[in-house]
Amino acid sequence: MSRKSALPPRPVRRFPAGVLRAAAVALMGASMGLALWHAAAWPFWQGAVLGACTGACVPGWFVLSRQRRQQTQARDTAARRQETTALLLHDFETQSDAWSWAADRDGRLTHAAERMARELGVATPQALLGESLLRLLRFGEGGPSLAMQQGFRDRSDPQMPPDLVWLMGCLAGQTPFRGVEVQVRSPVRRALWWSISGVPVHDEIGLHVGWRGVVRDVTKLHEQSSALERLAHTDTLTGLANRHMLQSRAEETAKALLQTSEATDEEALSPLSLYLLDLDNFKSVNDHFGHLVGDRLLQEVARRLQDCVDESPYGGVLARLGGDEFALLIEQPMHTVEREALALAMLATLREPWTPEDLCIEVRASLGVAAWSGPAHTASLLLQQADIALYEAKAAGRDLVRLFDAAMGERMVERHLVIHELGLALQAAQRTLERPDLPEAPAPSGRLSVFYQPQYDLGDGRLTGFEALVRWRHPVRGWISPAQFIPVAEETGLVVALGEWVLRQACTEVMRWPGAFKIGVNLSGVQLASRQIVRTVATVLSETGLPPHRLELEVTETSLLADPAAARTRMQALRSLGIRLGLDDFGTGYSSLAYLRTYPINTLKIDRSFVVSLAEGPQGAQADMILRTIVQLGRGLGMKTLAEGVETPEQADTLRRHGCEQVQGYLYARPVPAEEVPALLRAGQGLAA
Ligand code: C2E
Ligand code: CA
Ligand code: CA
């Protein structure tokens, strides 16, 4: 609406028209009378009077008629302007999201738009006239129309929204207001938001006579911004809170606790607990059944966990942090036992098989829990600790709960040290392999080397080969077992570079020894999963000149199971290089031999646990039988069998009786450094026993 059209038309300055008209008629009458009476002999002065009267009369007519014209024009303009204003106002009120309002000095409506009436559930705008604007807004519950019908029975709301309080203040203080947002409970639309602006109207002498203003419907804007806000705090897949929401909530609570609480000891009540849950088998569900089923599984998990939280007396904020990781933040005091009991209940609720359509999916999860223990405890530390506890739960075998404790923290520090120092040790080892001519540099992170454990033929006692086993000697910590650092290297991916170094080192060293032994090198599942592996092996073979049939790569059953199809393809590509493949730790996984025959495997390495169980009472008899079956089946499938960890002559006898072809173990030889191998070879290549 233009500012100009809102102003009243400017008044036209004018003479009193009646006086002018009377004077003109009188003058004309007088001059005509005189003219008739004395027409014959007029003295000069009479003629002059007549001339003057007539002379005055003519401009009088002119002035008069011009004023008339101006008046008519002004009236027309005002009417047109009013019409335009009304049209504009109508357009404005019907086509935009805003409409005007006017009220008297007490805030009672003197003008209301149709739109306003419609949205308030009132038949016509006229019905709103005389109603207090504030009361209409305030008594929205059940719709203002209902409140009007009931005569605004006073239901004073102790919790008036702050914007409405502000509006009340402005109306009472006669101060202009702009964009005051109030929620109107309309019977027509569920949640209605109006942004109201208004200015006080004063008369000529400055007295406050009323209000004039605009209402804008900002419902859509509100809906959009609250949807955005919801989105920023919600995980769209499950409807749970997201990581951002959980973190900020934990931070807020920890900050509040910092100001109010003191340190709590292990057994005391802790006011804040954080649970981190990770599904154990989500990746395989995704791989086997596809992402759609994976997504539905996550929704199912969210639903079950939410039920569990709803049933617990502690409540809490349940969130999905991303992927298959969930978290629960509890801001109620809990004892350690209670904390653990809830964690176990959460795992139990997931164990119930999930049966969408004709599928049956077993869900398992691991849980790490941490509790706030005092002012030094920040939210991020709490998250870190729950994460460490979760890591330990997974490492301990999954489907388990672990509560964070100090020892866990120390182990984690140790782990980080391993990651850091192993990397440095590997760099030094790679340098030495590339430039053996350079003097060895000091090694503050220790030295890596490869040890070799001989393998023998049980039939004729011949030395058939060696297994290459990596060793790490640290200046402070001494010998660190590969069983300790290989899993860490697998987690960080360092095992790819480490494995390549072991392979190159082993192939290089083996080529220096007399004889044509087989060399077994362990291949981690992470290496097998890497696309580079076939090229790496081919390069190492050509660089070192080792004939491919002398290399046997050992893979474990678990590394095949992660991605069976990809593993099979890669193994076939490796076999096409002419190398051999061994299946390590056989018997510790769950696959049947019939299943494993689909992989191009040359040697079955029977796990040490079977060998140890031999000749141990009734269990020994069972192990005996299993072993015999494995050997027979292996032979049937054209695979060689090699038993690991043979420590006693009795074990060796049993293995020989069952037809196992090769052995490796402390009974014959421990793994030895490369320098000792030539002596071992000179001493005789046959079985020591
Ligand atoms: P593994 O492949 O099963 O290696 C056999 C392990 O059994 C070796 O332990 C070896 O020293 C040990 N051993 C051999 N004979 C006997 C015995 O008679 N009794 C007992 N109690 N143990 C025996 P090590 O060298 O500590 O290696 C442990 C594991 O670390 C290996 O198990 C293998 O999984 C992994 N590993 C070792 N070197 C490498 C490597 O270069 N790359 C990869 N990816 N993993 C490796
Ligand atoms: Ca092995
Ligand atoms: Ca093994």
Side-chain angles (χ1 to χ4, degrees):
M1 189 166 69
S2 85
R3 191 174 170 73
K4 206 172 151 199
S5 62
L7 294 173
R10 190 191 290 272
V12 180
R13 192 183 283 271
R14 53 191 169 163
F15 289 103
V19 177
L20 269 172
R21 218 177 291 137
V25 170
L27 271 170
M28 295 221 349
S31 52
M32 291 302 277
L34 273 172
L36 287 173
W37 193 19
H38 295 291
W42 274 8
F44 169 76
W45 67 269
Q46 282 171 347
V49 167
L50 181 64
C53 285
T54 316
C57 201
V58 172
W61 269 115
F62 271 116
V63 169
L64 204 66
S65 53
R66 207 180 67 214
Q67 274 191 353
R68 273 239 173 117
R69 224 174 25 249
Q70 278 179 344
Q71 271 175 10
T72 324
Q73 265 173 3
R75 250 200 313 276
D76 285 354
T77 312
R80 263 204 310 279
R81 218 179 260 165
Q82 222 163 11
E83 204 178 319
T84 316
T85 308
L87 276 173
L88 279 173
L89 203 62
H90 182 260
D91 278 359
F92 171 68
E93 288 176 352
T94 52
Q95 285 171 29
S96 78
D97 270 342
W99 60 87
S100 61
W101 64 277
D104 64 14
R105 47 179 293 174
D106 300 324
R108 291 176 189 284
L109 289 174
T110 52
H111 165 77
E114 237 166 70
R115 171 92 180 264
M116 187 173 188
R118 198 169 57 240
E119 302 224 315
L120 289 177
V122 178
T124 59
Q126 285 70 30
L128 286 175
L129 302 185
E131 296 294 350
S132 150
L133 175 70
L134 253 184
R135 269 153 71 103
L136 280 174
L137 298 176
R138 199 176 143 192
F139 287 88
E141 213 174 307
S145 53
L146 185 71
M148 280 164 70
Q149 280 165 25
Q150 295 174 345
F152 290 110
R153 242 182 283 129
D154 211 346
R155 282 176 289 165
S156 44
D157 184 356
Q159 277 192 327
M160 234 205 286
D163 274 338
L164 208 51
V165 175
W166 168 256
L167 181 65
M168 260 172 90
C170 292
L171 289 175
Q174 294 168 19
T175 42
F177 50 90
R178 209 185 151 85
V180 180
E181 285 190 8
V182 291
Q183 189 178 16
V184 182
R185 271 166 263 164
S186 154
V188 189
R189 289 162 64 186
R190 230 158 40 87
L192 204 59
W193 283 91
W194 286 354
S195 160
I196 307 181
S197 304
V199 284
V201 176
H202 297 104
D203 65 6
E204 302 83 49
I205 57 165
L207 274 180
H208 176 225
V209 289
W211 293 89
R212 198 172 56 206
V214 172
V215 176
R216 191 172 291 280
D217 185 347
V218 287
T219 312
K220 211 172 263 167
L221 219 70
H222 250 268
E223 282 169 359
Q224 281 165 352
S225 69
S226 51
L228 270 180
E229 193 162 316
R230 256 201 317 279
L231 218 64
H233 292 117
T234 317
D235 167 52
T236 40
L237 181 69
T238 59
L240 298 180
N242 62 10
R243 178 183 287 275
H244 169 74
M245 166 80 178
L246 186 103
Q247 259 169 351
S248 45
R249 185 75 175 254
E251 269 158 29
E252 264 169 42
T253 316
K255 215 180 273 170
L257 282 172
L258 234 154
Q259 283 150 11
T260 55
S261 305
E262 288 174 1
T264 62
D265 65 62
E266 274 301 92
E267 286 310 306
L269 280 175
S270 171
L272 185 64
S273 309
L274 182 69
Y275 293 65
L276 281 190
L277 180 142
D278 192 285
L279 299 186
D280 292 336
N281 52 343
F282 182 67
K283 192 182 171 312
S284 76
V285 172
N286 242 353
D287 291 348
H288 281 97
F289 304 108
H291 290 281
L292 271 180
V293 173
D295 282 357
R296 282 175 59 200
L297 173 63
L298 293 175
Q299 288 166 336
E300 173 68 14
V301 168
R303 195 188 58 73
R304 289 190 192 183
L305 292 177
Q306 189 63 63
D307 283 353
C308 196
V309 172
D310 293 345
E311 279 164 22
S312 112
Y314 311 103
V317 182
L318 187 64
R320 178 172 161 249
L321 305 186
D324 58 346
E325 206 181 350
F326 293 82
L328 173 64
L329 183 76
I330 296 183
E331 296 149 317
Q332 293 284 329
M334 278 174 116
H335 281 289
T336 311
V337 238
E338 295 164 328
R339 210 171 295 122
E340 188 169 11
L342 179 62
L344 291 172
M346 285 165 78
L347 289 193
T349 189
L350 296 182
R351 261 181 230 127
E352 182 84 11
W354 178 52
T355 51
E357 282 100 49
D358 51 352
L359 299 174
C360 179
I361 294 172
E362 299 268 343
V363 188
R364 296 286 182 277
S366 303
L367 238 170
V369 191
W372 194 82
S373 63
H377 221 140
T378 59
S380 67
L381 189 60
L382 197 67
L383 257 164
Q384 243 174 315
Q385 292 180 339
D387 204 36
I388 293 172
L390 173 64
Y391 169 82
E392 294 239 342
K394 290 224 170 251
R398 295 158 188 258
D399 194 21
L400 289 171
V401 171
R402 285 287 179 269
L403 305 188
F404 178 82
D405 60 31
M408 264 186 209
E410 282 162 22
R411 280 198 290 277
M412 196 44 72
V413 171
E414 169 81 16
R415 210 177 134 252
H416 285 302
L417 261 174
V418 165
I419 294 169
H420 177 66
E421 303 216 316
L422 181 63
L424 293 177
L426 177 61
Q427 280 174 10
Q430 285 166 330
R431 259 198 315 270
T432 313
L433 183 61
E434 276 167 27
R435 298 291 310 268
D437 51 312
L438 292 179
E440 269 193 29
S445 304
R447 280 189 208 292
L448 288 175
S449 59
V450 179
F451 275 36
Y452 299 88
Q453 187 175 33
Q455 298 166 333
Y456 299 94
D457 187 299
L458 252 186
D460 58 15
R462 233 175 356 105
L463 191 150
T464 52
F466 293 89
E467 177 176 2
L469 295 158
V470 66
R471 294 288 178 266
W472 182 15
R473 187 172 195 174
H474 194 274
V476 181
R477 296 180 227 181
W479 291 103
I480 305 175
S481 162
Q484 216 177 318
F485 65 80
I486 291 283
V488 178
E490 284 182 328
E491 261 174 58
T492 58
L494 189 67
V495 78
V496 175
L498 177 66
E500 185 180 336
W501 175 80
V502 173
L503 179 69
R504 188 169 273 117
Q505 178 81 0
C507 294
T508 310
E509 288 181 327
V510 159
M511 286 300 284
R512 292 186 193 136
W513 306 329
F517 312 104
K518 189 183 79 184
I519 178 78
V521 177
N522 291 289
L523 193 75
S524 148
V526 181
Q527 285 175 275
L528 186 65
S530 108
R531 287 170 192 276
Q532 258 77 61
I533 188 63
V534 183
R535 196 166 348 126
T536 304
V537 173
T539 311
V540 171
L541 286 174
S542 82
E543 278 174 12
T544 58
L546 183 78
H549 68 270
R550 289 181 60 192
L551 177 65
E552 183 165 285
L553 292 180
E554 299 183 7
V555 297
T556 59
E557 206 177 323
T558 31
S559 62
L560 303 187
L561 297 180
D563 187 349
R568 191 178 291 116
T569 317
R570 221 147 274 159
M571 283 165 78
Q572 273 154 355
L574 284 170
R575 279 291 303 275
S576 67
L577 295 177
I579 68 160
R580 297 170 60 87
L581 290 174
L583 190 67
D584 207 355
D585 303 346
F586 180 72
T588 53
Y590 303 99
S591 324
S592 69
L593 257 183
Y595 172 72
L596 290 172
R597 72 189 282 192
T598 59
Y599 293 89
I601 293 162
N602 304 94
T603 309
L604 271 189
K605 291 193 79 178
I606 301 165
D607 192 64
R608 198 172 76 88
S609 55
F610 287 104
V611 178
V612 170
S613 308
L614 285 177
E616 270 183 6
Q619 264 188 354
Q622 203 188 4
D624 201 276
M625 198 195 67
I626 296 175
L627 214 130
R628 196 172 55 223
T629 318
I630 292 176
V631 173
Q632 283 171 0
L633 277 171
R635 194 177 290 155
L637 292 171
M639 298 175 189
K640 277 200 173 350
T641 43
L642 187 153
E644 294 184 291
V646 182
E647 293 182 350
T648 67
E650 292 77 29
Q651 292 168 346
D653 282 344
T654 315
L655 288 162
R656 191 178 291 117
R657 227 177 335 113
H658 290 328
C660 178
E661 289 152 297
Q662 293 179 8
V663 279
Q664 167 185 355
Y666 293 172
L667 175 65
Y668 311 107
R670 291 189 174 242
V672 293
E675 307 83 72
E676 290 179 25
V677 172
L680 196 134
L681 291 173
R682 272 195 305 275
Q685 296 189 352
L687 275 179

PDB file of all heavy atoms in Angstrom, residues 345-359:
ATOM      1  N   ALA A 345      20.173 -55.339  29.677  1.00  0.00           N
ATOM      2  CA  ALA A 345      18.795 -55.384  29.173  1.00  0.00           C
ATOM      3  C   ALA A 345      18.754 -54.911  27.726  1.00  0.00           C
ATOM      4  O   ALA A 345      17.992 -55.436  26.903  1.00  0.00           O
ATOM      5  CB  ALA A 345      17.897 -54.505  30.045  1.00  0.00           C
ATOM      6  N   MET A 346      19.570 -53.915  27.402  1.00  0.00           N
ATOM      7  CA  MET A 346      19.600 -53.405  26.023  1.00  0.00           C
ATOM      8  C   MET A 346      20.098 -54.479  25.059  1.00  0.00           C
ATOM      9  O   MET A 346      19.538 -54.665  23.973  1.00  0.00           O
ATOM     10  CB  MET A 346      20.490 -52.153  25.932  1.00  0.00           C
ATOM     11  CG  MET A 346      19.835 -50.920  26.513  1.00  0.00           C
ATOM     12  SD  MET A 346      20.997 -49.579  26.811  1.00  0.00           S
ATOM     13  CE  MET A 346      21.198 -48.935  25.163  1.00  0.00           C
ATOM     14  N   LEU A 347      21.135 -55.187  25.466  1.00  0.00           N
ATOM     15  CA  LEU A 347      21.643 -56.253  24.590  1.00  0.00           C
ATOM     16  C   LEU A 347      20.615 -57.375  24.454  1.00  0.00           C
ATOM     17  O   LEU A 347      20.433 -57.936  23.371  1.00  0.00           O
ATOM     18  CB  LEU A 347      22.962 -56.823  25.122  1.00  0.00           C
ATOM     19  CG  LEU A 347      24.187 -55.915  25.018  1.00  0.00           C
ATOM     20  CD1 LEU A 347      25.455 -56.712  25.278  1.00  0.00           C
ATOM     21  CD2 LEU A 347      24.276 -55.250  23.651  1.00  0.00           C
ATOM     22  N   ALA A 348      19.934 -57.663  25.580  1.00  0.00           N
ATOM     23  CA  ALA A 348      18.952 -58.754  25.561  1.00  0.00           C
ATOM     24  C   ALA A 348      17.801 -58.432  24.612  1.00  0.00           C
ATOM     25  O   ALA A 348      17.326 -59.308  23.878  1.00  0.00           O
ATOM     26  CB  ALA A 348      18.435 -58.999  26.966  1.00  0.00           C
ATOM     27  N   THR A 349      17.384 -57.179  24.598  1.00  0.00           N
ATOM     28  CA  THR A 349      16.250 -56.808  23.757  1.00  0.00           C
ATOM     29  C   THR A 349      16.594 -56.948  22.257  1.00  0.00           C
ATOM     30  O   THR A 349      15.726 -57.119  21.410  1.00  0.00           O
ATOM     31  CB  THR A 349      15.744 -55.388  24.095  1.00  0.00           C
ATOM     32  OG1 THR A 349      14.555 -55.175  23.407  1.00  0.00           O
ATOM     33  CG2 THR A 349      16.696 -54.306  23.679  1.00  0.00           C
ATOM     34  N   LEU A 350      17.893 -56.864  21.959  1.00  0.00           N
ATOM     35  CA  LEU A 350      18.301 -56.987  20.557  1.00  0.00           C
ATOM     36  C   LEU A 350      18.474 -58.439  20.129  1.00  0.00           C
ATOM     37  O   LEU A 350      18.469 -58.742  18.942  1.00  0.00           O
ATOM     38  CB  LEU A 350      19.614 -56.232  20.325  1.00  0.00           C
ATOM     39  CG  LEU A 350      19.566 -54.719  20.535  1.00  0.00           C
ATOM     40  CD1 LEU A 350      20.916 -54.100  20.230  1.00  0.00           C
ATOM     41  CD2 LEU A 350      18.505 -54.080  19.654  1.00  0.00           C
ATOM     42  N   ARG A 351      18.639 -59.325  21.131  1.00  0.00           N
ATOM     43  CA  ARG A 351      18.940 -60.724  20.780  1.00  0.00           C
ATOM     44  C   ARG A 351      17.759 -61.465  20.160  1.00  0.00           C
ATOM     45  O   ARG A 351      17.938 -62.429  19.435  1.00  0.00           O
ATOM     46  CB  ARG A 351      19.421 -61.473  22.034  1.00  0.00           C
ATOM     47  CG  ARG A 351      20.931 -61.562  22.035  1.00  0.00           C
ATOM     48  CD  ARG A 351      21.451 -62.302  23.224  1.00  0.00           C
ATOM     49  NE  ARG A 351      22.491 -61.512  23.864  1.00  0.00           N
ATOM     50  CZ  ARG A 351      22.521 -61.175  25.129  1.00  0.00           C
ATOM     51  NH1 ARG A 351      21.550 -61.558  25.933  1.00  0.00           N
ATOM     52  NH2 ARG A 351      23.508 -60.457  25.607  1.00  0.00           N
ATOM     53  N   GLU A 352      16.579 -60.996  20.459  1.00  0.00           N
ATOM     54  CA  GLU A 352      15.364 -61.586  19.863  1.00  0.00           C
ATOM     55  C   GLU A 352      15.490 -61.507  18.341  1.00  0.00           C
ATOM     56  O   GLU A 352      15.674 -60.413  17.801  1.00  0.00           O
ATOM     57  CB  GLU A 352      14.167 -60.752  20.330  1.00  0.00           C
ATOM     58  CG  GLU A 352      12.830 -61.220  19.876  1.00  0.00           C
ATOM     59  CD  GLU A 352      12.288 -62.310  20.793  1.00  0.00           C
ATOM     60  OE1 GLU A 352      12.878 -62.516  21.882  1.00  0.00           O
ATOM     61  OE2 GLU A 352      11.320 -62.926  20.409  1.00  0.00           O
ATOM     62  N   PRO A 353      15.420 -62.634  17.617  1.00  0.00           N
ATOM     63  CA  PRO A 353      15.615 -62.562  16.159  1.00  0.00           C
ATOM     64  C   PRO A 353      14.610 -61.621  15.496  1.00  0.00           C
ATOM     65  O   PRO A 353      13.456 -61.527  15.925  1.00  0.00           O
ATOM     66  CB  PRO A 353      15.387 -63.999  15.687  1.00  0.00           C
ATOM     67  CG  PRO A 353      15.516 -64.833  16.898  1.00  0.00           C
ATOM     68  CD  PRO A 353      15.146 -63.999  18.074  1.00  0.00           C
ATOM     69  N   TRP A 354      15.062 -60.966  14.476  1.00  0.00           N
ATOM     70  CA  TRP A 354      14.201 -60.040  13.727  1.00  0.00           C
ATOM     71  C   TRP A 354      13.721 -60.781  12.491  1.00  0.00           C
ATOM     72  O   TRP A 354      14.525 -61.329  11.738  1.00  0.00           O
ATOM     73  CB  TRP A 354      15.002 -58.797  13.369  1.00  0.00           C
ATOM     74  CG  TRP A 354      14.252 -57.782  12.566  1.00  0.00           C
ATOM     75  CD1 TRP A 354      13.033 -57.245  12.858  1.00  0.00           C
ATOM     76  CD2 TRP A 354      14.681 -57.171  11.345  1.00  0.00           C
ATOM     77  NE1 TRP A 354      12.664 -56.340  11.906  1.00  0.00           N
ATOM     78  CE2 TRP A 354      13.664 -56.267  10.958  1.00  0.00           C
ATOM     79  CE3 TRP A 354      15.807 -57.286  10.545  1.00  0.00           C
ATOM     80  CZ2 TRP A 354      13.747 -55.506   9.804  1.00  0.00           C
ATOM     81  CZ3 TRP A 354      15.886 -56.520   9.398  1.00  0.00           C
ATOM     82  CH2 TRP A 354      14.874 -55.632   9.033  1.00  0.00           C
ATOM     83  N   THR A 355      12.407 -60.802  12.287  1.00  0.00           N
ATOM     84  CA  THR A 355      11.866 -61.619  11.196  1.00  0.00           C
ATOM     85  C   THR A 355      11.022 -60.791  10.234  1.00  0.00           C
ATOM     86  O   THR A 355       9.796 -60.888  10.219  1.00  0.00           O
ATOM     87  CB  THR A 355      11.002 -62.759  11.765  1.00  0.00           C
ATOM     88  OG1 THR A 355      10.058 -62.160  12.677  1.00  0.00           O
ATOM     89  CG2 THR A 355      11.810 -63.798  12.501  1.00  0.00           C
ATOM     90  N   PRO A 356      11.669 -59.981   9.389  1.00  0.00           N
ATOM     91  CA  PRO A 356      10.893 -59.237   8.396  1.00  0.00           C
ATOM     92  C   PRO A 356      10.559 -60.182   7.244  1.00  0.00           C
ATOM     93  O   PRO A 356      11.432 -60.897   6.756  1.00  0.00           O
ATOM     94  CB  PRO A 356      11.871 -58.149   7.939  1.00  0.00           C
ATOM     95  CG  PRO A 356      13.236 -58.721   8.188  1.00  0.00           C
ATOM     96  CD  PRO A 356      13.117 -59.785   9.242  1.00  0.00           C
ATOM     97  N   GLU A 357       9.304 -60.184   6.828  1.00  0.00           N
ATOM     98  CA  GLU A 357       8.831 -61.095   5.771  1.00  0.00           C
ATOM     99  C   GLU A 357       9.334 -62.521   6.022  1.00  0.00           C
ATOM    100  O   GLU A 357       9.205 -63.033   7.106  1.00  0.00           O
ATOM    101  CB  GLU A 357       9.245 -60.592   4.380  1.00  0.00           C
ATOM    102  CG  GLU A 357       8.365 -59.458   3.882  1.00  0.00           C
ATOM    103  CD  GLU A 357       9.025 -58.097   4.075  1.00  0.00           C
ATOM    104  OE1 GLU A 357      10.185 -57.946   3.705  1.00  0.00           O
ATOM    105  OE2 GLU A 357       8.361 -57.183   4.601  1.00  0.00           O
ATOM    106  N   ASP A 358      10.001 -63.111   5.012  1.00  0.00           N
ATOM    107  CA  ASP A 358      10.426 -64.495   5.226  1.00  0.00           C
ATOM    108  C   ASP A 358      11.887 -64.598   5.663  1.00  0.00           C
ATOM    109  O   ASP A 358      12.509 -65.641   5.547  1.00  0.00           O
ATOM    110  CB  ASP A 358      10.174 -65.318   3.953  1.00  0.00           C
ATOM    111  CG  ASP A 358      10.754 -64.635   2.721  1.00  0.00           C
ATOM    112  OD1 ASP A 358      11.193 -63.470   2.866  1.00  0.00           O
ATOM    113  OD2 ASP A 358      10.777 -65.253   1.644  1.00  0.00           O
ATOM    114  N   LEU A 359      12.434 -63.504   6.173  1.00  0.00           N
ATOM    115  CA  LEU A 359      13.826 -63.543   6.639  1.00  0.00           C
ATOM    116  C   LEU A 359      13.856 -63.786   8.142  1.00  0.00           C
ATOM    117  O   LEU A 359      12.858 -63.599   8.845  1.00  0.00           O
ATOM    118  CB  LEU A 359      14.521 -62.210   6.361  1.00  0.00           C
ATOM    119  CG  LEU A 359      14.629 -61.764   4.909  1.00  0.00           C
ATOM    120  CD1 LEU A 359      15.218 -60.370   4.843  1.00  0.00           C
ATOM    121  CD2 LEU A 359      15.515 -62.752   4.149  1.00  0.00           C
TER     122      LEU A 359
END
